[in-house]
Amino acid sequence: MTLRMLRCIAVFVCLCPLWAFAEDWTEFRGPTGQGHSTATGLPVHWSDTENVRWKVDVPGKGWSSPIVVHGRIYLTTAVVPEGDNGNDRSLRAICLDAATGNTVWDVEVFEQTDATTHIHGKNSHASPTPITDGQHVFVHFGTNGTACLTLDGRVVWRNRDLVYDPRHGSGGSPVLVDDLLVVSCDGHDVQFVAALDRKTGEIRWKKERPSSDSIKKFAFCTPLVIAAENRRQIVSVGANSVVAYDPADGSEIWMLRHPGYSTIPRPVFAHGLVYVCTSFDQSRLLAIRPDGRGDVTDTHVEWESQRGAPHSPSLLAVGDDLYAISDKGILSCFDAETGEVRWTHRVGGNFSASPLFADGKIYLQSEEGVGTVFAPGAEYEELARNDMKAPSLASYAVDGTALLIRTEGQLFRIEGR
């Protein structure tokens, strides 16, 4: 190796931040909250046996996505105690060694004993994804409770004061901003957004949703923290409205009304626009300028589309394109700035999980467990189709050069050799 080559390598290492080599997957949809990873070398081909570094059984049932920090994986699950009639559940947090899949600890956080709790057939009692600040892991089980644990499994605090009727179960994951843990609590009966003190779990602020005449007011969306107009905003999509809250006190910055409910997709922020989907009944894709004040329903929608807007999977912005995979497997590519449909393609299958962009490729995971990889661009170019042969509703997580895929009952580390 020549001296010139060594100098080039040294300059490259000095200029590249650590996250260019590896990143922790800290929350739902990764460190940006928008499905982007800086990882390279992720596998393109896999199955339930090919490129499987390890797979482990996960007790109980949960559709929360895994997160990764400091070489450990954290996820949640709901376990029916042996011999129980099925109404009681142990709501648990689990830590696995990322390299081996071995269980580091498995802790009961809450005991659920409400026999009247009902969930949708595609939901679970442990669907919200945990989040970490690098020192703690925060788990959320909707109205059944929110908690903070140390990374070694010690419970720091519990909060069961966020009470509402979730109708089809809980789904939205928490977000962190400053010293707050923020959750959307959109039930059939009451709808509000709450911020908990991340150190104590006490409620710092709680804001009711804008009033609505609709009888369907429940939602399951994960908020997104953005920086716009020289201020941070917590953008939270509920039934019938999208609201941007000031993290400091929860005051409303702007609000936009929409006709949907049971909203699920997490917002995406790109090109100075917030992209949201309104879910049921007829989902609309809205591109919103976040520079308004008050009610911006009639003034700040840059463009909208009813074509290809998903009910469940979140959107994905890559370059000048915005990708949407519908619940029924129709993939659409939009011009992110104008809303023009560039192309559509029938991928097939049913979708709940949100897409991932990494290493110049886009990854989709169907409810049937089929992972489709394609190249973003002017037309659809499929690179691989990979069948896990098991149901999968959780979204991808990334750890180094590996994909973490949660199926019903198992977690896989998929990694090329």
Side-chain angles (χ1 to χ4, degrees):
M1 185 176 292
T2 66
L3 180 60
R4 180 179 179 183
M5 292 175 64
L6 288 172
R7 287 174 176 170
C8 289
I9 292 173
V11 171
F12 176 78
V13 170
C14 290
L15 291 179
C16 284
L18 290 177
W19 52 257
F21 296 95
E23 63 184 348
D24 287 330
W25 200 256
T26 54
E27 62 179 284
F28 176 58
R29 305 206 75 197
T32 68
Q34 302 191 76
H36 282 238
S37 173
T38 60
T40 59
L42 293 178
V44 175
H45 301 278
W46 69 85
S47 69
D48 58 337
T49 57
E50 180 187 3
N51 281 335
V52 176
R53 178 168 173 179
W54 53 253
K55 64 178 178 180
V56 295
D57 293 336
V58 179
K61 182 178 181 180
W63 286 126
S64 61
S65 301
I67 62 170
V68 186
V69 62
H70 304 333
R72 291 183 173 182
I73 299 168
Y74 299 86
L75 68 163
T76 58
T77 190
V79 178
V80 177
E82 188 175 350
D84 192 84
N85 60 9
N87 292 325
D88 298 343
R89 289 174 181 82
S90 176
L91 304 179
R92 312 186 70 83
I94 299 175
C95 174
L96 306 175
D97 183 278
T100 65
N102 293 336
T103 300
V104 179
W105 51 260
D106 182 345
V107 174
E108 180 178 85
V109 185
F110 295 105
E111 182 182 5
Q112 177 190 359
T113 58
D114 185 0
T116 64
T117 299
H118 171 74
I119 62 171
H120 192 278
K122 291 203 301 184
N123 205 355
S124 75
H125 292 278
S127 290
T129 295
I131 189 169
T132 180
D133 61 2
Q135 297 178 316
H136 305 86
V137 59
F138 302 87
V139 295
H140 180 58
F141 295 94
T143 192
N144 289 302
T146 308
C148 171
L149 293 83
T150 60
L151 297 184
D152 59 5
R154 178 177 61 86
V155 176
V156 178
W157 54 257
R158 293 181 175 91
N159 182 304
R160 302 195 80 165
D161 297 331
L162 305 178
V163 180
Y164 59 97
D165 173 10
R167 179 48 61 104
H168 294 309
S170 301
S173 304
V175 299
L176 287 166
V177 53
D178 297 331
D179 59 347
L180 301 175
L181 182 76
V182 180
V183 291
S184 298
C185 304
D186 293 296
H188 177 66
D189 52 349
V190 294
Q191 305 81 38
F192 59 91
V193 175
L196 307 181
D197 187 301
R198 78 159 75 180
K199 294 183 178 179
T200 66
E202 296 178 355
I203 297 176
R204 292 269 292 274
W205 54 257
K206 179 179 175 181
K207 299 297 179 180
E208 293 185 0
R209 292 287 196 183
S211 61
S212 170
D213 294 332
S214 172
I215 61 173
K216 297 178 179 179
K217 300 181 180 182
F218 51 91
F220 311 94
C221 188
T222 301
L224 182 72
V225 180
I226 70 169
E229 292 299 293
N230 297 317
R231 67 191 305 178
R232 282 174 305 164
Q233 306 178 12
I234 303 170
V235 180
S236 178
V237 187
N240 315 123
S241 65
V242 185
V243 182
Y245 299 93
D246 188 326
D249 57 9
S251 57
E252 182 181 294
I253 300 172
W254 56 264
M255 180 270 292
L256 183 144
R257 297 188 183 277
H258 66 78
Y261 68 97
S262 192
T263 45
I264 300 173
R266 189 174 192 181
V268 164
F269 182 52
H271 300 281
L273 298 171
V274 176
Y275 303 95
V276 304
C277 295
T278 64
S279 290
F280 298 86
D281 288 312
Q282 173 64 55
S283 188
R284 297 183 183 181
L285 196 170
L286 306 177
I288 306 166
R289 299 192 308 277
D291 58 355
R293 297 290 186 272
D295 190 334
V296 300
T297 305
D298 298 325
T299 58
H300 281 67
V301 177
E302 186 71 14
W303 59 265
E304 71 173 274
S305 175
Q306 294 186 27
R307 181 180 177 184
H311 297 300
S312 301
S314 304
L315 303 166
L316 182 70
V318 177
D320 294 330
D321 298 327
L322 184 69
Y323 294 91
I325 180 70
S326 76
D327 294 47
K328 297 299 183 182
I330 304 297
L331 179 65
S332 300
C333 175
F334 297 87
D335 182 303
E337 296 190 17
T338 68
E340 176 189 357
V341 179
R342 298 190 192 278
W343 53 260
T344 62
H345 178 80
R346 181 179 292 277
V347 177
N350 299 284
F351 286 82
S352 289
S354 296
L356 165 72
F357 174 70
D359 200 13
K361 307 172 189 68
I362 296 177
Y363 294 74
L364 307 172
Q365 185 76 7
S366 77
E367 294 177 2
E368 294 78 18
V370 177
T372 301
V373 186
F374 71 95
E379 58 184 17
Y380 180 75
E381 179 187 354
E382 187 170 296
L383 304 177
R385 189 168 290 232
N386 310 293
D387 193 353
M388 298 294 290
K389 299 182 174 64
S392 181
L393 277 73
S395 297
Y396 294 109
V398 176
D399 180 35
T401 57
L403 287 172
L404 299 178
I405 301 177
R406 185 175 189 173
T407 64
E408 189 173 45
Q410 291 185 311
L411 181 68
F412 289 76
R413 184 181 181 93
I414 304 296
E415 194 163 20
R417 300 184 184 278

